[in-house]
Amino acid sequence: MKDMPGMKHDSMTMSMPIPMPKGMPMLPGLVGLTPPVTSFLPGAGVDPARLPAAKATALVRLRDGDSLDLTAGLVRRTIKGHAFVMYAFNGEVPGPLIRVPQNATITVRFHNQIDLASAVHWHGVRLDNASDGVPGVTQAAVAPKGSFIYTVHFPDAGIYWYHPHVREDVQQALGLFGNVVVDAPNADYYSPANSEHTLVLDDLLINADTLIPFGKEGPDFALMGRVGNVLLVNDEPSYSLRVKQGEVVRFFVTNVSSSRTYNLSFGGAPMKVVASDQSRFEREERVPSVVLAPAERYVVEVRFPKPGRYALLNAVQAINHYRGEFEPEIDTLGIVTVGVAKAAPDYDRAFATLRANTAVSTEIDRYRRYFDKAPDKRLTLTVETNGLPLSTVQFMTIDTAYYAPVEWVDGMPDMNWLSTSKQVRWVLRDDATGKENMEIDWHVAKGSVLKLRIFNDPKSFHPMQHPMHLHGQRMLVIARDGVATRNLVWKDTALIPVGSTVDLLLDASNPGAWMLHCHIAEHLETGMMTVVHVDR
């Protein structure tokens, strides 16, 4: 077999080194090919047994004016009996759970002890631009053995997270992430609950006892992003929690996966969604499940009414691109065991009440007059490819005759693995100027309210959903496909399904240069980003 343009061929390779889903064949024209990048895994030549074992997350309570040392380093992580060299903040995966009061300002001294340049981005926090943690925009990358000091101010209550903004496809995937919970001063900000827990959703791509390497010069899995086959909650492949009968549990949920979108539920236990990225919803809602795209956070409250076992489920509609079929797929992420002892106090009545958060609605009232105005800016999301294997190009020509608004699983892992940043360029295109990605030059005045309309082109080479994240500001998802949103919440990340048009209202209140990008790590690393300048 001859090499495809830009591809490497190994005639001795009889099968892919990545696992294929059961019953899914590999395209014959792709057998023996490998991505045109050098393989990378952390800690080259390091014996995992000589590294410290990764620790569970520790709670760190900080007050206004406090400081924290945050060190990125190598650890040994054991998953399903196999030890891997990976990354961690302060030796913990997820990293330290930082809990601070609203309006606190803390100092974080970051120390880079890994084998790649790095930085720390404070995702969703409307902080000072100089501490946003984006190399090339707000700072230089922190070299190995280097340090950087961040001043982080938390103006909004809610659930946030931190992660690198350098090769996210590698560093974040290998363990560099952690949560921040910002507490409102009023004790009744949320409804009463018997307990609170954070859930960090993640996935890893493993074949038997092998962690699938990453591209050194740039990402592989550039089409769909890296979708793991081992699903983790708080770094565990099987989450467990014990609660009392009738207990109301508040879960702070974060999706740190590179590409996977989740549809989360608790085995039929009644659930209501109360908040998302940067605020509470206008009204609490009872829901059967909650969908989290990469980088999104949700606060949900769940009541466990009877003794027994409740499965934490990810129930999705999987797609098999080879057969052109959709089929249900359910992953059990963990178990909540409910004992016979009854919870005290009993919050059943409070849980049954769906509160209206008038403070949120009142604040949003100031922006409603902008909802129906014409869009100030328009973006189209698409992709360009060059030099992919001929089999991939031929298959995708047929495959894109139909599309799924959201791809919950990797339905074409062979083609996805062989695509790299050398052949794939994901695109944000300014409809008004035709400029793309970092060529887009948007400037808005501080205090502006910007209406942004985003269209996800279903006729692109590989139509796929995109979770769009805006740094340092907040936004409202005011409409999807012309249908107005009935229950609003301040967001920093919004999922744009294939073929959809989504209207976002941006509150440009924080001056600086702020990234707008897709939060599928491989899409970001292959160009799908720009900068919005909020001028003083």
Side-chain angles (χ1 to χ4, degrees):
M1 188 189 325
K2 295 182 179 180
D3 289 358
M4 300 299 173
M7 305 300 292
K8 295 184 292 183
H9 179 260
D10 181 359
S11 60
M12 299 301 293
T13 301
M14 301 304 294
S15 62
M16 289 183 65
I18 68 168
M20 296 288 285
K22 184 178 180 180
M24 183 180 292
M26 182 181 178
L27 283 180
L30 303 182
V31 174
L33 294 180
T34 57
V37 288
T38 307
S39 294
F40 172 82
L41 284 173
V46 174
D47 181 0
R50 300 180 65 88
L51 291 172
K55 299 177 291 186
T57 302
L59 173 63
V60 179
R61 291 189 180 273
L62 299 176
R63 296 175 295 180
D64 184 40
D66 283 351
S67 62
L68 172 70
D69 283 279
L70 192 66
T71 301
L74 294 175
V75 294
R76 181 181 74 256
R77 287 174 67 184
T78 301
I79 299 170
K80 292 192 172 182
H82 302 295
F84 305 109
V85 177
M86 297 179 71
Y87 298 138
F89 282 122
N90 290 6
E92 303 168 16
V93 183
L97 171 57
I98 302 170
R99 194 141 193 172
V100 296
Q102 186 177 356
N103 287 317
T105 301
I106 64 172
T107 299
V108 179
R109 296 182 291 264
F110 170 60
H111 311 285
N112 183 15
Q113 297 296 324
I114 68 171
D115 43 11
L116 297 173
S118 193
V120 182
H121 168 55
W122 303 91
H123 186 111
V125 182
R126 296 191 295 157
L127 75 177
D128 184 77
N129 192 228
S131 289
D132 194 41
V134 182
V137 178
T138 65
Q139 68 170 90
V142 181
K145 308 299 182 182
S147 298
F148 192 88
I149 296 177
Y150 296 96
T151 301
V152 188
H153 177 67
F154 300 96
D156 307 300
I159 176 73
Y160 303 89
W161 65 299
Y162 55 93
H163 61 83
H165 223 287
V166 182
R167 286 306 300 269
E168 287 185 37
D169 63 303
V170 178
Q171 298 184 30
Q172 182 181 303
L174 291 176
L176 291 182
F177 49 79
N179 270 137
V180 182
V181 175
V182 182
D183 294 314
N186 46 318
D188 63 346
Y189 184 78
Y190 299 117
S191 298
N194 298 102
S195 62
E196 291 183 335
H197 300 274
T198 56
L199 300 180
V200 180
L201 309 179
D202 190 19
D203 60 356
L204 283 172
L205 189 57
I206 297 174
N207 190 4
D209 60 350
T210 303
L211 185 66
I212 302 303
F214 297 79
K216 183 177 181 179
E217 297 83 7
D220 48 12
F221 293 91
L223 280 174
M224 285 191 60
R226 180 176 292 232
V227 180
N229 59 342
V230 177
L231 278 62
L232 304 171
V233 179
N234 298 349
D235 194 40
E236 294 293 337
S238 183
Y239 174 77
S240 63
L241 178 68
R242 300 189 69 90
V243 302
K244 295 180 179 180
Q245 181 181 176
E247 187 165 335
V248 175
V249 182
R250 180 176 302 115
F251 291 101
F252 296 93
V253 191
T254 304
N255 181 2
V256 306
S257 297
S258 295
S259 181
R260 182 185 292 273
T261 297
Y262 295 81
N263 181 36
L264 203 67
S265 62
F266 289 83
M271 173 171 60
K272 61 180 181 180
V273 61
V274 300
S276 189
D277 299 349
Q278 294 185 353
S279 79
R280 295 171 294 178
F281 280 86
E282 291 186 278
R283 296 176 303 281
E284 297 177 346
E285 285 192 24
R286 205 163 307 285
V287 293
S289 63
V290 62
V291 171
L292 294 99
E296 283 193 298
R297 291 91 61 212
Y298 280 89
V299 182
V300 298
E301 292 170 356
V302 184
R303 184 173 184 271
F304 298 95
K306 296 179 181 180
R309 290 160 56 88
Y310 293 78
L312 177 60
L313 300 175
N314 175 44
V316 301
Q317 190 80 349
I319 181 173
N320 183 315
H321 284 272
Y322 292 88
R323 297 196 305 263
E325 295 176 353
F326 296 86
E327 55 189 8
E329 181 173 297
I330 300 177
D331 300 297
T332 299
L333 307 181
I335 297 293
V336 178
T337 302
V338 182
V340 295
K342 293 187 177 181
D346 183 353
Y347 290 130
D348 182 31
R349 180 173 297 180
F351 179 79
T353 302
L354 297 177
R355 297 198 313 178
N357 296 309
T358 55
V360 177
S361 295
T362 300
E363 183 179 29
I364 292 175
D365 284 345
R366 297 188 289 119
Y367 299 87
R368 296 188 199 276
R369 61 193 176 100
Y370 300 103
F371 286 11
D372 294 327
K373 74 171 183 174
D376 300 291
K377 305 287 185 181
R378 297 173 184 258
L379 284 176
T380 294
L381 312 183
T382 187
V383 65
E384 296 175 351
T385 63
N386 179 49
L388 287 171
L390 179 60
S391 294
T392 297
V393 176
Q394 292 174 330
F395 182 88
M396 293 302 295
T397 300
I398 300 171
D399 181 64
T400 50
Y402 66 95
Y403 62 84
V406 173
E407 292 206 46
W408 304 91
V409 299
D410 188 346
M412 50 179 207
D414 48 359
M415 293 179 284
N416 191 24
W417 174 60
L418 292 169
S419 64
T420 74
S421 55
K422 294 182 178 181
Q423 303 128 310
V424 177
R425 177 175 174 262
W426 285 97
V427 176
L428 305 174
R429 181 175 297 133
D430 181 356
D431 290 4
T433 65
K435 292 183 177 181
E436 297 176 348
N437 297 344
M438 294 300 287
E439 294 179 352
I440 298 172
D441 188 27
W442 285 352
H443 286 258
V444 298
K446 177 186 174 182
S448 299
V449 178
L450 186 74
K451 186 173 180 179
L452 171 60
R453 178 165 291 171
I454 302 180
F455 171 63
N456 190 351
D457 184 5
K459 296 182 179 180
S460 68
F461 176 80
H462 177 58
M464 186 177 174
Q465 73 275 6
H466 298 283
M468 297 302 300
H469 170 50
L470 175 64
H471 288 210
Q473 313 294 325
R474 60 182 183 173
M475 60 190 183
L476 299 168
V477 181
I478 58 174
R480 291 184 180 273
D481 299 319
V483 179
T485 305
R486 299 178 60 186
N487 189 10
L488 294 166
V489 61
W490 287 108
K491 298 278 290 176
D492 57 66
T493 306
L495 183 64
I496 317 295
V498 177
S500 285
T501 299
V502 177
D503 287 344
L504 306 174
L505 200 72
L506 279 55
D507 175 24
S509 59
N510 195 10
W514 303 100
M515 296 286 293
L516 172 67
H517 65 86
C518 175
H519 217 285
I520 292 175
E522 290 77 11
H523 293 185
L524 166 63
E525 296 291 342
T526 53
M528 203 170 200
M529 57 184 173
T530 190
V531 176
V532 178
H533 299 270
V534 179
D535 301 324
R536 294 185 183 275

